[in-house]
Amino acid sequence: MDQLAQEGITRRIVASIKAQIHDGAYGPGDRLPSTRALAAEWGVSRTTVTAAYGQLIAEGYLETHQGARAIVAAGIRDPAPQAPAAAAAPPRLSAFGRRILDLPAGTGEEPGRIADFRYGDLSAADFPALAWRRAIGAASLRRSGRLRYGEPQGASALRLALQGYLWRARGIRCGPDQIVVVNGSQQGLDLCARLLLDPGDRFVIENPGYALARRALLAAGGEAVPTPVDGEGMRVDALPDARLAYVTPSHQFPLGSVLSASRRRALLAWAARTGATVIEDDYDGEYRYDIAPIPPLQTLGPEQVIYVGTVSKTLSPTLRLGYLVVPEAFCRPFAEAKRLTDRHTSLPEQEALADLLASGAYERHVRTTRRRNGERRAALLAALAADCAGAVTVAGAEAGLHLVAWLDRVAAGREGAVIAAARAAGVGTYPIAPLYDPAGPRPPMAGLVLGYAGLDAGAIRRGVQVLGQMLAGFPAP
C-alpha cells in the first residue's frame, strides 16, 4: 500500500472512532479494541491502526498507559441538551472597522465585451516581460546563504536607484533614507493617514478627487474638507486649519488641471503657517504629451511635502510597488509603521526594479509607453470628435492616461442610466459622480472618466462608435 492510500485509511479510522465517541458508543473510560483486533476488522496493518490511535491521543480523544489498551479520555462526552440560550452578542468591530463599513463598497463589474474604458488599467502588451524576467532571474540567483527579513523602508539598492531616478526624471533631491518603499501608493496613503491624523482631525482634499485617498483618510478618523478645483488646480484662497492636505498637483485627478505656480506657493505657505503636511500624489507624472513633465511640489517644500510615487502606471498595477519621499523628521516613524504593517515589501520585486532603474531599462520603457499611450490618446480624441461631436466636451486630455468626457445633453442625475445603457451595449464606462463629495455641489451635466491605456486603437474606435450611437439615441432631458 502506498503512503497516500495508507494516510487516507488512517483518516477514515480516526473519523469513525470520533463519530462513535460522539454518538455514545464509547464513553469516557471505555476501552477501545486492541490494535490487532481493529486491524483485522478494517483489513489493514497494525501500523495503520497504531497511527490512527496516535492521532486520536494527540488530539485528546484517547488516553493510553503502558501495557494497556487505549481508553476514551475522561473529558470527552456528548454534551447534554441545554435550554435554548439567549442570542449571542454580535462580534464587535473597532471604531476603525465601523468607519470602513460606512464607506462605499468596491465594485467588481466585468469588463465591457467591445471595449472597457476603466481608468488605471494598462495594456498587458506594454509590460517589459523580457527585461522583467531577466531582472527577477538575476535577483533570484543573488540569494545569500540565509533568507532573512529586509529593512522595512525598502532594499538599499532600490532606494539608491530611486534616489537617482527621482533626481533625473522629477528633479527631486532626497537621501535614500527619506525613501520608503511601499506596496503601491495606496499603502503609502494609508501610512500617511495613520501617522498624520487623529480621529476628528480635518484634512483638505480636492473635490472632485481620488476616492480611495479620501476613504483612507476618512477610515483613520479624519474629517474631510472638500475643496473645489478649477483650471488652475485646487483653490487655496480660503483653506482652513487642518492637519494635512491631499493634492494631485501635476495632473489633477480626474479633471486634469495643473496646480499653478502661485497656488503652489500659497499652499506651501498655508502648510508652514498651520503646521500641516501636504501629501503630493504624483500618480502619472511620467505621461505628459505636449511639454516636459511638471516639476513636483516637493521640490519647493521638501520639509512640508510627502511625495507619493508608483510604478502602477508605468509597469503594472499588479506589482504593488510604490514609494514615499518623506521629510527627514518623518523617516523613523514611517519606517517603523511600515515594519508593523507588513515588515517590508517583497524583496525579489524590489531588487528587479532596482536593476531596471540602474540599467536604464526602466526609463527606456517609460519613453516607449509614453509614445504608445500618446497614440491611444490621439485615437480616443479623434474617435470622440468623429462619433460624439456635439454630445461631449473633453477635459483633462493633455496628460495622464485618462480624460473626462462631459455629456453636454445629459443631466447629472441620469449618469447611472448612461453607464447601464453603455454596459448593455458592450462598452464599460465609469461615472465621475463618485469622485465628488456626496454632500457638495457638482456640475449639472453627467460625466464619464475614460481610461485608454488598456486598449488598442481599434478597440478605442469601436467602443466610442457604440458610445456615440447610444448617446444619439439617449432621450433628451
Side-chain angles (χ1 to χ4, degrees):
M1 182 184 299
D2 61 38
Q3 184 176 357
L4 287 177
Q6 181 173 330
E7 290 176 354
I9 294 175
T10 300
R11 287 194 295 269
R12 287 166 54 196
I13 295 173
V14 168
S16 173
I17 294 174
K18 285 182 180 179
Q20 292 178 71
I21 291 173
H22 289 304
D23 290 343
Y26 292 114
D30 288 350
R31 290 191 298 175
L32 268 69
S34 67
T35 56
R36 186 186 303 277
L38 197 59
E41 180 182 335
W42 278 81
V44 296
S45 68
R46 292 181 64 187
T47 302
T48 302
V49 174
T50 300
Y53 277 6
Q55 180 65 33
L56 289 164
I57 291 168
E59 293 184 27
Y61 278 85
L62 303 182
E63 296 175 352
T64 186
H65 302 284
Q66 184 68 30
R69 299 208 312 251
I71 62 173
V72 178
I76 301 297
R77 58 172 53 88
D78 193 39
Q82 297 179 353
R92 296 182 60 185
L93 288 171
S94 67
F96 176 78
R98 294 193 297 273
R99 287 192 295 268
I100 286 178
L101 289 183
D102 288 339
L103 298 172
T107 59
E109 295 177 333
E110 290 295 317
R113 65 181 185 276
I114 295 175
D116 195 272
F117 291 96
R118 185 189 302 274
Y119 50 93
D121 288 2
L122 303 183
S123 171
D126 289 351
F127 184 75
L130 182 58
W132 184 258
R133 186 171 63 197
R134 288 173 178 162
I136 281 288
S140 300
L141 292 174
R142 283 196 298 267
R143 295 299 95 196
S144 62
R146 176 178 296 185
L147 299 177
R148 57 186 301 176
Y149 295 108
E151 291 301 312
Q153 64 268 43
S156 59
L158 177 55
R159 289 185 287 120
L160 282 168
L162 283 170
Q163 179 191 28
Y165 169 74
L166 289 169
W167 167 239
R168 294 191 304 272
R170 308 299 283 126
I172 292 176
R173 293 181 180 273
C174 65
D177 56 328
Q178 291 178 256
I179 297 174
V180 181
V181 180
V182 290
N183 291 322
S185 60
Q186 191 62 37
Q187 185 185 46
L189 296 176
D190 180 64
L191 290 176
C192 289
R194 293 170 182 264
L195 289 171
L196 301 178
L197 287 177
D198 288 318
D201 286 344
R202 294 194 293 182
F203 63 90
V204 171
I205 191 165
E206 300 161 328
N207 186 35
Y210 181 44
L212 289 185
R214 186 174 188 273
R215 293 173 192 174
L217 298 170
L218 289 172
E223 295 183 2
V225 181
T227 305
V229 172
D230 60 22
E232 295 184 53
M234 186 175 73
R235 298 186 58 176
V236 298
D237 48 340
L239 295 180
D241 286 349
R243 288 290 295 275
L244 65 84
Y246 170 85
V247 290
T248 51
S250 295
H251 183 224
Q252 199 280 326
F253 183 83
L255 300 183
S257 56
V258 174
L259 190 64
S260 66
S262 60
R263 290 190 182 180
R264 289 173 182 240
R265 296 190 179 278
L267 177 61
L268 293 175
W270 166 83
R273 184 176 66 254
T274 61
T277 300
V278 178
I279 301 173
E280 176 182 18
D281 191 347
D282 194 17
Y283 64 100
D284 64 359
E286 292 86 356
Y287 297 104
R288 194 149 194 97
Y289 306 109
D290 51 357
I291 59 174
I294 304 299
L297 184 65
Q298 193 271 354
T299 61
L300 298 175
E303 294 306 314
Q304 298 161 294
V305 177
I306 294 175
Y307 178 87
V308 183
T310 180
V311 302
S312 292
K313 303 298 184 293
T314 52
L315 286 176
S316 171
T318 65
L319 287 177
R320 309 315 303 140
L321 281 171
Y323 50 90
L324 305 177
V325 179
V326 302
E328 291 183 357
F330 287 164
C331 291
R332 185 168 180 271
F334 271 84
E336 291 306 315
K338 172 66 176 172
R339 188 196 305 273
L340 291 175
T341 300
D342 60 0
R343 295 297 288 263
H344 58 75
T345 296
S346 175
L347 288 172
E349 284 78 4
Q350 289 192 62
E351 293 176 14
L353 178 57
D355 280 356
L356 293 187
L357 287 164
S359 67
Y362 179 78
E363 286 162 272
R364 290 194 296 273
H365 168 72
V366 169
R367 289 193 293 270
T368 299
T369 55
R370 184 187 296 126
R371 174 181 54 79
R372 291 176 181 172
N373 284 314
E375 294 168 354
R376 294 178 179 116
R377 164 184 170 268
L380 178 56
L381 290 173
L384 289 170
D387 295 309
C388 299
V392 304
T393 298
V394 173
E398 293 78 13
L401 302 175
H402 74 273
L403 56 78
V404 174
W406 294 109
L407 309 184
D408 298 331
R409 298 197 293 262
V410 181
R414 307 177 74 199
E415 204 168 78
V418 172
I419 301 296
R423 185 160 292 278
V427 178
T429 57
Y430 299 88
I432 199 169
L435 306 180
Y436 278 89
D437 180 71
R442 58 154 293 177
M445 73 285 288
L448 305 177
V449 184
L450 302 179
Y452 49 82
L455 297 168
D456 59 39
I460 289 171
R461 287 191 290 269
R462 291 191 298 272
V464 173
Q465 185 177 38
V466 171
L467 183 61
Q469 293 169 351
M470 185 272 297
L471 290 175
F474 208 77

